[in-house]
C-alpha cells in the first residue's frame, strides 16, 4: 500500500507535537535550499517542510522545484518561523514527480485570471482556483443535504432528449449520422427515423418536464445535472454547458415555491460559510485586492463575507414585474438615459442592466420578481386571471442578475394546450407531458437555479468561466 499520508489540513488543525507523519503534495516554493512550502489540496495553507542544511544530497535538493511532487516523512515540531505553529522536520524526501522550472507554466507569482483560463488544466494548482473548487464542492454537497433533509427524491433526468423544455430552440443536436451523408427523405430533408434514436434528439436544456412527471407521484423531487444551451451569448454569466438544480413540487403554489427557493439559497450559503470559512476568507481578500484596482464609485460597499451574511439574514424583496417596470421607468437612470435599453412600455423583457439596477441600486438586496408578461415566458407557466401575466418568479442577485427562474405550472389541461397551440409547440410530441394533466393533475411548482451563478455569487468571481473546471462557451471547448 502506498497511501499512508496525513492530510495537511488535518495536521495544521492538530495541536499535538513530536510525532512522525508522511505527507504528499506539490511544492509551491523552495526557499534558501531549506524551506519547502508544500500543498496537498486539502487547504490553501501550505505545510512548511524543513530540509535541514547538509542533511540531503544536492541531487535531491536540485529537484525540489515549484510544481514538483514530493513524499516526505518526518517529525512534526513547533515552528520558530512566523506564519505557522508547526512544521515538518524532514527525515526522508522522495521526489515522486519532477517539474522542470524552465518549462512549468505557473511561476510562484500572481497570474491573471485570463492567463489561467488558458491553462485551465493547471489552474487547480493556484490558491484561487483550489479555493473556488473546494467551495463548489461544498455547495453541491449542501444542495443534496438540503433536499435530502426535507425528504425530496433526487431524480436523474435524461441528458439526451427529443424535447425542448424551454421552447427557445437553443438546442445542441445529438446524432450518429455521418454529417456529409445523412439519411434523407424524398424531399431532401433529413430522415431522423434512420438516426440512432429513430427521431431528432438534442442535449437537454432543462430536466423540468421529466421532473414534473416524477413529481406527480413522488411529490417532491429535484434534479441536479448538466444542461446545455446553444445560445450565442458570450458574457460573463453564460455557459453553453452549465449545471442546474431543479426542484419540482406537487401541491405547491407560487408563494410556496418562492419560500422554498429563498430558504434553499440561504441554507447553502450558510452551509458554505460554516464549512469553508478559510477558503471564503481567502476569496474575500482576493476580491478586496481586486476591488482596490477599481475606481471608488465602482467598488462594492460590502466585503464578500459581509455580503453573504447579509443575504442570509435579510428577507428577499418580493414584487411583481409590473411594479418593477414602474420603478425602472421612473428611475433617474431611465430619465437620464443611462440604460442602454430604455424602459418605456410594459411587456418588454428586462435586460441584465435593469435587473442589476433593481438589486444593486434600488433595493440593495436580492429581489424576487413575479407575474411576468406571458409573452416573454415559457409555455408551461400558469396563466393568471388577468389574461396577460403568468405565475412566474425570477430571483435576482447582486452582481449576478438572474440566478433562479421558476414558476407555478399550468395544471389545467385546456389552458395548457391552448397556450401551446398559440406558441406553436407540438401537443403531439409532448403528449406524454400532457398525461400529467389528464390523470390526477394538481397545482404544482418548481424552479431552476443556475449552479455556476450561485458559485459566482458565493466566491465573488466575476466571470462564470472561473467557477466551472472546464468552461464551454462559444468557440471554446478546450480540455
Ligand atoms: O430561467 P431558466 O431558463 O429556467 C429553466 O430552465 C426552467 N426549466 C427552470 C425550472 O423552472 N425548473 O434557467 C434557470 C436558471 C437561470 O435562472 C440561470 O441561473 C441559469 O439557469 N442559466 C444559466 N446559467 C449559465 N449559463 C447559461 N447559459 C444559463 N441559462 C440559464
Ligand atoms: Mg430565466
Amino acid at each position: 500500500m502506498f497511501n499512508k499520508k496525513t492530510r495537511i489540513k488535518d495536521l495544521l488543525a492538530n495541536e499535538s507535537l513530536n510525532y512522525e507523519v508522511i505527507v504528499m503534495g506539490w511544492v509551491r516554493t523552495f526557499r534558501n535550499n531549506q524551506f519547502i512550502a508544500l500543498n496537498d489540496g486539502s487547504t490553501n495553507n501550505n505545510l512548511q517542510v524543513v530540509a535541514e542544511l547538509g542533511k540531503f544530497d544536492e541531487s535531491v535538493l536540485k529537484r525540489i522545484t515549484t510544481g514538483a511532487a514530493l513524499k516526505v516523512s518526518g517529525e512534526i515540531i513547533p515552528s520558530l518561523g512566523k506564519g505557522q505553529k508547526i512544521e515538518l522536520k524532514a527525515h526522508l524526501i522522495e521526489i515522486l514527480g519532477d517539474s522542470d522550472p524552465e518549462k512549468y507554466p505557473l511561476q510562484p507569482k500572481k497570474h491573471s485570471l485570463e492567463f489561467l483560463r488558458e491553462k485551465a488544466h493547471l489552474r487547480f494548482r493556484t490558491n484561487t482556483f483550489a479555493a473556488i473548487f473546494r467551495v463548489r464542492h461544498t455547495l453541491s454537497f449542501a444542495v443534496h443535504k438540503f433536499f435530502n433533509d426535507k425528504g425530496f427524491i433526487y431524480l436523474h433526468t435524461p441528458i439526451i432528449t427529443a424535447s425542448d423544455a424551454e421552447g427557445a430552440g437553443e438546442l445542441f443536436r445529438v446524432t450518429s449520422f455521418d454529417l456529409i451523408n445523412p439519411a434523407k427523405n424524398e424531399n431532401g430533408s433529413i430522415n431522423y427515423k434512420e438516426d440512432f434514436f429513430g427521431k431528432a434528439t438534442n442535449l437537454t436544456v432543462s430536466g423540468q418536464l421529466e421532473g414534473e412527471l416524477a413529481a406527480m407521484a413522488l411529490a417532491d423531487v429535484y434534479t441536479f445535472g448538466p444542461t446545455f444551451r446553444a445560445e450565442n451569448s458570450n458574457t460573463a454569466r453564460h455557459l453553453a454547458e452549465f449545471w442546474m438544480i431543479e426542484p419540482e413540487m406537487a401541491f405547491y403554489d407560487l408563494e410556496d415555491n418562492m419560500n422554498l427557493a429563498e430558504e434553499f439559497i440561504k441554507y447553502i450559503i450558510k452551509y458554505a460559510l460554516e464549512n469553508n470559512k478559510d477558503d471564503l476568507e481567502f476569496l474575500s481578500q482576493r476580491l478586496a485586492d481586486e476591488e482596490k484596482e477599481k475606481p471608488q464609485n465602482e467598488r462594492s460597499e460590502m466585503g464578500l463575507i459581509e455580503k453573504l451574511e447579509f443575504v442570509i439574514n435579510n428577507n428577499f424583496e418580493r414584487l411583481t414585474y409590473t411594479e418593477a417596470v414602474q420603478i425602472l421607468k421612473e428611475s433617474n437612470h431611465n430619465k437620464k438615459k443611462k440604460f442602454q435599453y430604455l424602459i418605456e412600455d410594459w411587456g418588454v423583457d428586462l435586460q441584465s442592466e435593469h435587473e442589476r439596477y433593481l438589486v444593486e441600486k434600488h433595493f440593495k438586496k436580492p429581489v424576487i420578481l413575479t407575474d411576468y408578461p406571458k409573452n416573454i415566458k415559457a409555455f408551461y407557466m400558469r396563466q393568471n386571471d388577468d389574461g396577460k401575466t403568468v405565475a412566474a418568479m425570477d430571483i435576482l442577485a447582486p452582481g449576478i442578475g438572474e440566478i433562479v427562474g421558476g414558476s407555478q405550472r399550468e395544471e389545467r389541461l385546456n389552458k395548457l394546450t391552448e397556450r401551446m397551440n398559440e406558441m406553436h409547440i407540438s401537443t403531439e410530441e409532448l403528449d406524454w407531458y400532457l398525461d400529467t394533466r389528464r390523470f390526477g393533475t394538481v397545482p404544482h411548482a418548481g424552479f431552476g437555479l443556475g449552479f455556476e451563478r450561485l458559485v459566482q455569487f458565493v466566491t465573488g468571481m466575476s466571470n462564470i468561466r472561473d467557477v466551472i473546471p472546464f468552461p464551454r462557451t462559444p468557440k471554446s471547448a478546450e480540455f
Side-chain angles (χ1 to χ4, degrees):
M1 194 177 88
F2 183 68
N3 190 354
K4 289 189 189 156
K5 74 176 166 55
T6 306
R7 292 160 78 238
I8 289 174
K9 183 180 184 183
D10 300 334
L11 282 178
L12 297 177
N14 189 339
E15 304 269 293
S16 25
L17 290 169
N18 305 106
Y19 60 102
E20 295 283 321
V21 289
I22 298 174
V23 294
M24 298 184 210
W26 294 267
V27 177
R28 283 292 170 80
T29 56
F30 186 33
R31 283 187 298 122
N32 301 348
N33 235 7
Q34 206 178 352
F35 301 107
I36 307 166
L38 196 74
N39 190 282
D40 71 354
S42 60
T43 160
N44 264 348
N45 299 315
N46 301 324
L47 178 68
Q48 171 149 294
V49 176
V50 184
E52 273 177 297
L53 288 175
K55 193 168 168 189
F56 296 90
D57 252 20
E58 193 49 39
S59 62
V60 173
L61 295 175
K62 242 180 25 208
R63 294 169 64 195
I64 303 176
T65 54
T66 298
L70 307 186
K71 174 178 180 180
V72 184
S73 33
E75 186 185 356
I76 294 290
I77 57 167
S79 177
L80 298 177
K82 284 202 304 254
Q84 69 267 329
K85 285 203 186 111
I86 57 154
E87 61 192 28
L88 179 65
K89 188 171 142 195
H91 298 325
L92 197 71
I93 298 177
E94 198 181 320
I95 314 279
L96 298 178
D98 288 287
S99 172
D100 182 345
E102 300 294 315
K103 295 190 181 137
Y104 186 53
L106 302 185
Q107 298 303 313
K109 62 160 200 177
K110 208 169 174 311
H111 292 289
S112 74
L113 295 171
E114 290 77 14
F115 171 83
L116 292 170
R117 233 170 267 150
E118 312 257 295
K119 301 267 178 282
H121 58 303
L122 298 174
R123 67 181 178 169
F124 301 105
R125 303 174 181 210
T126 65
N127 283 339
T128 296
F129 286 94
I132 291 168
F133 292 117
R134 277 191 299 264
V135 172
R136 186 180 163 112
H137 159 76
T138 302
L139 292 169
S140 63
F141 186 79
V143 167
H144 289 297
K145 183 157 167 48
F146 176 83
F147 287 117
N148 185 60
D149 288 354
K150 280 196 177 298
F152 279 59
I153 304 296
Y154 178 29
L155 185 77
H156 294 110
T157 50
I159 288 171
I160 301 174
T161 76
S163 54
D164 176 2
E166 292 303 298
E170 294 162 338
L171 305 175
F172 286 105
R173 295 250 167 251
V174 173
T175 176
S176 63
F177 273 151
D178 170 0
L179 291 183
I180 301 193
N181 191 18
K184 296 237 172 105
N185 295 310
E186 276 174 13
N187 66 5
S189 61
I190 293 178
N191 181 3
Y192 286 106
K193 286 205 181 80
E194 295 292 316
D195 201 354
F196 190 91
F197 296 105
K199 54 165 73 168
T201 50
N202 51 272
L203 295 177
T204 188
V205 295
S206 155
Q208 179 192 323
L209 302 188
E210 291 89 351
E212 285 186 57
L213 307 180
M216 288 304 114
L218 301 169
D220 298 321
V221 303
Y222 72 104
T223 70
F224 184 3
T227 47
F228 307 86
R229 302 221 176 152
E231 58 186 323
N232 207 354
S233 301
N234 226 334
T235 79
R237 326 181 299 138
H238 287 90
L239 291 166
E241 174 179 299
F242 65 99
W243 288 67
M244 185 154 53
I245 297 134
E246 294 184 276
E248 191 68 36
M249 298 74 63
F251 318 112
Y252 262 54
D253 67 10
L254 188 67
E255 193 184 351
D256 299 321
N257 200 25
M258 286 191 274
N259 292 345
L260 182 77
E262 184 169 341
E263 184 190 345
F264 172 56
I265 291 175
K266 288 177 172 170
Y267 176 93
I268 39 187
I269 294 177
K270 187 153 179 265
Y271 192 89
L273 279 172
E274 283 167 2
N275 291 279
N276 239 320
K277 192 89 191 188
D278 278 3
D279 287 323
L280 289 175
E281 272 164 6
F282 174 85
L283 291 166
S284 181
Q285 188 56 50
R286 191 207 70 84
L287 187 62
D289 294 343
E290 192 182 83
E291 293 262 307
K292 278 189 212 133
E293 314 275 304
K294 292 187 188 167
Q296 193 82 34
N297 63 341
E298 283 174 30
R299 292 183 202 169
S300 54
E301 289 163 27
M302 286 186 215
L304 180 63
I305 303 234
E306 224 182 331
K307 178 189 80 176
L308 298 176
E309 277 166 356
F310 178 85
V311 168
I312 293 173
N313 294 322
N314 288 279
N315 290 334
F316 295 4
E317 190 72 35
R318 299 182 186 192
L319 69 158
T320 64
Y321 164 92
T322 304
E323 289 164 333
V325 163
Q326 201 58 28
I327 291 172
L328 290 167
K329 210 169 154 176
E330 285 165 12
S331 67
N332 275 333
H333 234 69
N334 204 50
K335 287 181 185 154
K336 291 191 181 147
K337 302 198 186 323
K338 282 199 194 153
F339 287 130
Q340 195 187 343
Y341 296 90
L342 295 180
I343 297 280
E344 306 194 3
D345 304 309
W346 188 92
V348 292
D349 206 354
L350 300 183
Q351 303 293 325
S352 88
E353 56 175 347
H354 307 127
E355 297 175 342
R356 295 186 64 168
Y357 178 86
L358 288 170
V359 174
E360 287 156 35
K361 296 255 165 19
H362 192 83
F363 291 110
K364 298 187 190 292
K365 49 154 63 172
V367 168
I368 313 185
L369 288 190
T370 62
D371 304 290
Y372 281 76
K374 66 177 181 186
N375 290 336
I376 57 172
K377 289 293 183 187
F379 69 93
Y380 50 72
M381 297 193 180
R382 193 174 198 278
Q383 296 161 58
N384 289 330
D385 293 339
D386 62 12
K388 294 195 311 192
T389 59
V390 286
M393 65 111 176
D394 275 9
I395 303 187
L396 315 178
I400 308 285
E402 180 189 337
I403 192 162
V404 162
S407 70
Q408 186 171 334
R409 316 307 187 191
E410 183 54 82
E411 84 283 12
R412 299 161 294 186
L413 180 64
N414 59 336
K415 290 262 182 197
L416 180 58
T417 50
E418 214 175 275
R419 188 74 191 128
M420 288 169 77
N421 289 333
E422 275 171 22
M423 295 177 78
H424 308 291
I425 290 172
S426 165
T427 49
E428 214 170 297
E429 274 170 31
L430 289 181
D431 194 57
W432 48 270
Y433 178 67
L434 295 173
D435 265 359
T436 52
R437 275 62 168 177
R438 291 189 183 109
F439 309 113
T441 189
V442 297
H444 64 288
F447 62 85
L449 176 130
F451 187 57
E452 284 74 21
R453 292 195 185 167
L454 176 82
V455 182
Q456 271 191 283
F457 184 71
V458 175
T459 58
M461 300 304 292
S462 53
N463 196 314
I464 200 165
R465 293 166 180 79
D466 295 332
V467 299
I468 187 164
F470 302 105
R472 270 77 182 98
T473 52
K475 301 281 178 289
S476 167
E478 287 303 310
F479 314 105

